[in-house]
Amino acid sequence: MTYSRILGTGSCLPEKVVTNHDLEKIVDTSDQWIQDRTGIKQRYIAGEHETTGDLAEQAARRAMEAAGKGPEDIDLIVLATTTPDQIFPSTACLVQSRLDIHGCPAFDIQAVCTGFVYALAAADNFIRAGNATCALVIGAETFSRILNWKDRGTCVLFGDGAGAVVIGASDEPGILSTHLHADGDYAKLLHVPDGVSRGYDQVQQERAFVEMRGNEVFKMAVNTLGRIVDETLEQNGLKKSDIDWLIPHQANYRIIRGIARKLQLPIERVVVTVAEHGNTSAASVPLALDVAVRDGRIKRGEMLLMEAFGGGFTWGSALVKY
Ligand code: UT7
């Protein structure tokens, strides 16, 4: 039986840091409110000409270097983003060219904040089926581009960045299981209402911006992530105590703490980057993973539970023996 395992991780953040105090000058908010309600202290925001592809490329290079893999080794690229550089080609194809990789399949996945978990599941399935041997899986966003900087309910929450992993075929797991779900009935609680086919709001002459009913999303996220944690443990016949590290989507510290409590996992065993990164959507899980791998917290052989929840609604998890 063929499995896939993580061979290397990488990430990239823009240079520009925007603190909560900076946002106090733009919208009616306060550092205290943002920290109390979300745990966020700052976020990184892409420069004027910096794109999702730029961040993705750097994260991918670092992941390939950590994995000891070159362009000739990669035979699949899956990139999760809600904020592609262009309508087409896919950002995966743009990054493929910059990395001097040629011929292998490359495509984008759109599952908003759950995007990386979806991308990882897709790549894992390619490898398990024997259709790829070494895949580059990227979550990358310039979410700041779709924020309404006059809406204090959303603009304080998000940031930009990219994270990547290289996964390779292995006789031993690796990725033990992935669990993906979606329910489009909840689309309007968290969405960008405009788009290519529907057109853009010509009256307001505004770009397409994120709209969110935060409190309703919060409640759904807590319940849904609680359920997917149970589903993941049950399907693998594991106990809560078998999990060494929780690597959650970094949307809100209160949600993260709730899931940690459910797992009876001390907060020291949870990778928390929300204070520094904010919510980077599809980049948040691989960014957090890379931080904890590089600072030496996550070690080979440990059991990782990744989970995410986002627009769609979409939600998912991955159980990984690192
Ligand atoms: O990544 C995808 C998944 N996304 C999430 O998981 C996000 C889920 N939602 C959340 O994290 C939280 O709901 C928020 C952080 C967005 C909001 O926290 P909340 O505790 O649910 O607050 P709320 O929306 O119920 O708003 C409470 C009050 C309101 O004022 P009133 O009506 O009570 O007077 C808001 O207008 O806080 C006000 N408020 C703010 N005040 C200062 C909303 N945003 C801000 C702000 N600064 N930035």
Side-chain angles (χ1 to χ4, degrees):
M1 176 125 178
T2 305
Y3 300 94
S4 67
R5 59 187 287 267
I6 295 177
L7 304 178
T9 67
S11 62
C12 178
L13 290 160
E15 261 178 41
K16 186 178 170 193
V17 173
V18 174
T19 65
N20 293 346
H21 291 297
D22 293 329
L23 293 178
E24 285 173 351
K25 295 172 197 142
I26 305 175
V27 282
D28 179 17
T29 191
S30 67
D31 175 50
Q32 175 142 23
W33 188 96
I34 302 171
Q35 286 208 47
D36 288 351
R37 299 289 178 121
T38 70
I40 299 168
K41 294 181 182 162
Q42 60 165 52
R43 69 289 292 142
Y44 293 81
I45 299 294
E48 198 183 340
H49 302 294
E50 198 169 29
T51 68
T52 295
D54 293 335
L55 301 172
E57 178 192 347
Q58 293 312 319
R61 286 189 188 282
R62 287 167 194 162
M64 286 165 64
E65 196 186 341
K69 297 290 180 189
E72 64 287 355
D73 299 313
I74 304 294
D75 56 12
L76 172 69
I77 301 174
V78 188
L79 187 148
T81 191
T82 307
T83 47
D85 286 21
Q86 300 174 214
I87 291 167
F88 73 86
S90 69
T91 307
C93 285
L94 300 176
V95 170
Q96 182 193 38
S97 164
R98 290 187 193 190
L99 294 174
D100 205 16
I101 299 171
H102 304 279
C104 75
F107 58 91
D108 285 2
I109 278 190
Q110 159 60 301
V112 205
C113 298
T114 320
F116 178 75
V117 178
Y118 267 64
L120 190 68
D124 177 51
N125 279 302
F126 267 77
I127 289 179
R128 281 175 188 255
N131 292 323
T133 59
C134 188
L136 186 53
V137 185
I138 308 168
E141 301 278 15
T142 44
F143 223 74
S144 59
R145 306 286 196 245
I146 53 168
L147 293 177
N148 177 353
W149 290 97
K150 294 178 194 147
D151 176 15
R152 68 177 183 172
T154 52
C155 76
V156 304
L157 304 174
F158 295 92
D160 301 333
V165 297
V166 173
I167 63 172
S170 162
D171 293 337
E172 305 205 347
I175 297 176
L176 289 154
S177 68
T178 54
H179 308 260
L180 303 182
H181 298 280
D183 190 339
D185 278 359
Y186 295 96
K188 287 190 175 161
L189 293 189
L190 172 53
H191 66 156
V192 174
D194 286 356
V196 178
S197 182
R198 227 176 236 183
Y200 295 91
D201 188 336
Q202 296 300 322
V203 181
Q204 297 199 19
Q205 292 285 303
E206 281 191 342
R207 293 171 53 170
F209 294 133
V210 174
E211 293 178 3
M212 176 166 73
R213 304 225 295 261
N215 201 265
E216 287 163 77
V217 176
F218 184 96
K219 287 176 193 151
M220 279 293 292
V222 171
N223 290 334
T224 310
L225 289 171
R227 282 206 311 275
I228 204 154
V229 164
D230 289 339
E231 177 188 326
T232 311
L233 292 177
E234 263 168 45
Q235 265 198 33
N236 288 280
L238 294 182
K239 304 184 294 294
K240 291 171 180 167
S241 57
D242 292 319
I243 303 299
D244 293 309
W245 292 100
L246 175 66
I247 303 156
H249 173 47
Q250 310 284 326
N252 188 314
Y253 182 69
R254 291 184 291 146
I255 300 176
I256 295 171
R257 198 180 48 199
I259 303 303
R261 280 196 188 132
K262 185 182 164 60
L263 277 167
Q264 294 164 348
L265 204 60
I267 202 73
E268 297 73 41
R269 305 300 290 182
V270 184
V271 183
V272 184
T273 56
V274 68
E276 292 79 33
H277 298 170
N279 180 349
T280 57
S281 184
S284 103
V285 169
L287 255 168
L289 173 68
D290 186 52
V291 167
V293 165
R294 282 176 192 264
D295 69 19
R297 271 179 288 171
I298 293 179
K299 299 195 175 51
R300 284 286 170 200
E302 289 185 320
M303 192 70 82
L304 319 181
L305 176 57
M306 304 178 198
E307 44 86 337
F309 178 90
F313 286 145
T314 54
W315 62 101
S317 66
L319 186 74
V320 177
K321 193 157 190 204
Y322 182 64

